[in-house]
Amino acid sequence: MKEKLDALLLEGKQKIESAKNETELQDIKALLLGKQSPLTEMLKELPKLDVSVRPEMGKAVNQVKSQLTALIDERRNELKMKASEVSADFDISVPGIRPLGGGLHPITQMCYDLNDAFRSMGFEVFEEDDITSELYGFDKLNFPPDHPARESMDTYWIEGHEEGRGGDRLCLRPHLTGGSVRYLQTHKAPYRFVYPGHVYRNETTDARHERAFFQYEALIVDKDFTFASGKVMIKSILSKVFGRDVPVRMRAGFFPFVEPGFEIDMGCLVCGGKGCSVCKNVGWIEVMPGGTPHPNVLRAAGLDPDEYTGFYVNIGLDRLVMMRYGVDDVRLFHSADLRFLNQFR
């Protein structure tokens, strides 16, 4: 076996030295050290050897394996250094090939801008998986047992889990708010955090709606936090993101997880408030629900609603991007059409 090992080592050195690029070297590595290599076969044969010679031969096989591995690493470094060398006959006057440019997707850029704006106000950024459960998606958010949002006409239930209940009934998250409850359960008060992410709704797509879209949730839970402070926060964030004062209005609205609840609108920046298809010709567009966390939601998170209050908003990130760039159809941002996306590089 020792003679065979010496022959394998010599052959391996020659093959490694002959490699002209990293692709060839990778193929040689698979040939010398892969699952079907002679060296691996020898390792498999060790248990069949006599006990008296087994330790010595095992050590010899592993030494050859280590030597070949070291030679491969050394040759890889040599090839990398050689690849960066400039040939003596290289003509530096020849124009180079311009590398392909790239850029952030406009929705990603908006998310980063919001992260920066909220971080400047002392918020933490929180993220979680796209799959949640009925327990966090609905039960802990004060949704009644017969609420229509629990039905498959609105929510994407995971196959094999759609008949369960509570934590056993899994779905693609229809909103981010359940994740916020989980944050409240696992962190210490006071709370000041944002939560960006994808959400999924079983609905018909149009210029303002998609089945998979981005939300951006912000939540403050503290003692003696005033509702007026929340409205100031909204105006401050929107003005910072858009670089100008943005008209904001709040209308009474019902959501199971807030009390009182509001629909928060901003002046349509596509038409300047004159009316268009995006704002349904009213000059305003709904961008987020908001309000004070419902006492039952605070209790579900283990907090005393007599002691804590706060302010919650859930921003429709896609719609903010439409406002920023004056785009009248949200589907364009999800189309992966480079002719459209290249405008934002």
Side-chain angles (χ1 to χ4, degrees), residues 144-344:
D146 58 350
H147 196 282
R150 295 177 183 256
E151 301 300 326
S152 58
M153 70 179 78
D154 282 335
T155 299
Y156 289 112
W157 297 101
I158 303 298
E159 186 177 2
H161 296 270
E162 64 271 33
E163 299 302 326
R165 282 291 176 264
D168 295 327
R169 193 182 188 196
L170 303 182
C171 63
L172 293 176
R173 59 187 179 194
H175 44 235
L176 301 176
T177 313
S180 294
V181 174
R182 203 188 306 272
Y183 180 96
L184 297 179
Q185 291 177 324
T186 55
H187 293 72
K188 293 183 178 180
Y191 309 90
R192 187 180 288 247
F193 67 98
V194 294
Y195 176 18
H198 244 129
V199 297
Y200 308 86
R201 303 271 179 83
N202 187 7
E203 60 181 52
T204 303
T205 61
D206 57 31
R208 299 175 64 201
H209 300 88
E210 267 285 4
R211 291 188 178 95
F213 54 97
F214 287 90
Q215 286 184 346
Y216 194 100
E217 187 162 302
L219 180 60
I220 296 174
V221 175
D222 205 342
K223 300 176 182 179
D224 303 320
F225 186 84
T226 65
F227 195 87
S229 299
K231 185 174 181 180
V232 171
M233 178 191 75
I234 293 170
K235 284 190 65 69
S236 300
I237 290 297
L238 291 178
S239 296
K240 191 164 187 177
V241 167
F242 289 104
R244 54 173 160 157
D245 184 55
V246 177
V248 173
R249 73 177 185 182
M250 303 176 73
R251 299 176 287 114
F254 172 76
F255 305 97
F257 38 83
V258 288
E259 180 60 43
F262 292 88
E263 298 274 11
I264 302 170
D265 304 333
M266 63 177 284
C268 181
L269 302 184
V270 175
C271 63
K274 297 177 182 178
C276 65
S277 61
V278 174
C279 63
K280 295 184 178 179
N281 297 308
V282 297
W284 295 89
I285 184 166
E286 176 194 339
V287 289
M288 61 187 92
T292 301
H294 195 285
N296 289 342
V297 175
L298 294 175
R299 290 190 188 98
L303 299 172
D304 183 356
D306 294 327
E307 184 178 2
Y308 286 96
T309 184
F311 191 81
Y312 155 92
V313 292
N314 194 314
I315 301 168
L317 198 58
D318 299 21
R319 292 188 184 177
L320 284 195
V321 179
M322 293 170 70
M323 296 295 100
R324 170 179 275 185
Y325 297 108
V327 175
D328 61 3
D329 194 329
V330 68
R331 292 169 292 189
L332 292 169
F333 291 109
H334 298 273
S335 66
D337 188 338
L338 293 181
R339 295 170 301 175
F340 172 76
L341 295 175
N342 280 338
Q343 302 174 76
F344 307 101

Side-chain angles (χ1 to χ4, degrees), residues 99-115:
L100 295 174
L104 292 174
H105 191 282
I107 294 177
T108 302
Q109 185 61 63
M110 175 64 82
C111 183
Y112 288 173
D113 291 346
L114 283 170
N115 285 349

